[in-house]
Amino acid sequence: MNLQKIIGIGTQYVNCCEKWVRYNVLLDSQGLPLVYIDTNENAIRNNKKLHKLVISEIINNLTEDMND
């Protein structure tokens, strides 16, 4: 799995909140990808349940794209 394809800033349409969401993917010290929601997405960041759903959907979409 080539993680270099997904590192950086991206934007995805997220169905659970029906809007485009900007995110950033970084690798931690062990080489695992970390997904961060953009700081301008306060409505998502302040709602723990919605935040989990958005992160999950972004990760699912990224892994689907990598497998294609």
Side-chain angles (χ1 to χ4, degrees), residues 14-25:
V14 180
N15 292 320
C16 64
C17 59
E18 298 180 343
K19 64 181 269 181
W20 288 91
V21 176
R22 192 166 181 199
Y23 62 92
N24 191 4
V25 179

Side-chain angles (χ1 to χ4, degrees), residues 1-14 21-27 32-37 53-68:
M1 189 179 293
N2 185 4
L3 295 177
Q4 296 300 325
K5 289 182 182 179
I6 64 170
I7 294 175
I9 297 171
T11 306
Q12 278 189 22
Y13 184 81
V14 180
V21 176
R22 192 166 181 199
Y23 62 92
N24 191 4
V25 179
L26 305 171
L27 293 180
L32 299 172
L34 302 173
V35 178
Y36 294 97
I37 300 295
L53 288 171
V54 169
I55 293 291
S56 296
E57 191 168 332
I58 290 172
I59 291 171
N60 285 340
N61 291 340
L62 288 173
T63 53
E64 282 178 7
D65 291 345
M66 288 177 65
N67 292 332
D68 288 344

